[in-house]
């Protein structure tokens, strides 16, 4: 039996239109994924391995890996510790559209 092609973006967009709860959860997760993606980019730009970042933050490499694979969400404290170890900090800035 052949595989069926599915346009996942279309499926998600339809679900977002039909289900306000799904839309909120989905939209909230996009920002979290964006922030994790930025942290990954910073880590790689500084040529720091997951193991090195774990050592710098007192974590385990597996914890960093699970966060980067988006299997676990870091606490705000953990996220800030990782940024700090990379030489960055989290700031709150007013959005233009708010």
């Amino acid at each position: 039996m052949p595989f069926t092609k599915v346009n996942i973006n279309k499926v998600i967009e339809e679900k977002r239109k039909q289900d306000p709860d799904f839309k909120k959860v989905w939209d909230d997760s996009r920002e979290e994924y964006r922030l994790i993606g930025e942290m990954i980019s910073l880590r790689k730009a500084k040529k720091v391995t997951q193991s090195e970042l774990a050592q710098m933050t007192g974590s385990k490499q597996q914890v960093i890996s699970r966060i980067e694979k988006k299997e676990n969400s870091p606490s705000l404290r953990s996220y800030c510790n990782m940024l700090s170890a990379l030489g960055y900090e989290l700031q709150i800035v007013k959005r233009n559209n708010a």
Side-chain angles (χ1 to χ4, degrees):
M1 173 184 255
F3 288 104
T4 304
K5 286 189 175 184
V6 175
N7 182 338
I8 192 67
N9 291 329
K10 184 177 179 181
V11 171
I12 291 169
E13 198 51 43
E14 286 299 315
K15 182 81 171 165
R16 285 179 73 240
K17 288 177 184 176
Q18 296 169 3
D19 185 344
D21 292 334
F22 176 83
K23 181 183 184 324
K24 177 165 178 22
V25 170
W26 179 262
D27 292 350
D28 289 349
S29 72
R30 298 303 91 200
E31 186 64 14
E32 181 179 345
Y33 287 179
R34 184 187 68 76
L35 288 171
I36 291 170
E38 285 189 33
M39 189 269 302
I40 294 167
S41 295
L42 294 171
R43 179 183 64 74
K44 289 181 177 181
K46 292 185 88 59
K47 297 182 178 9
V48 173
T49 67
Q50 288 181 349
S51 295
E52 290 168 335
L53 182 57
Q55 191 171 34
M56 295 160 67
T57 59
S59 299
K60 294 183 179 180
Q61 181 273 329
Q62 294 88 342
V63 171
I64 304 296
S65 175
R66 287 186 194 114
I67 290 169
E68 290 190 3
K69 289 192 283 185
K70 298 165 185 85
E71 293 175 353
N72 288 5
S73 295
S75 67
L76 182 57
R77 177 178 291 173
S78 295
Y79 186 77
C80 289
N81 285 343
M82 289 184 282
L83 287 179
S84 180
L86 295 169
Y88 291 85
E89 65 182 19
L90 186 62
Q91 291 187 6
I92 299 173
V93 179
K94 183 172 174 47
R95 288 190 264 172
N96 290 333
N97 62 353

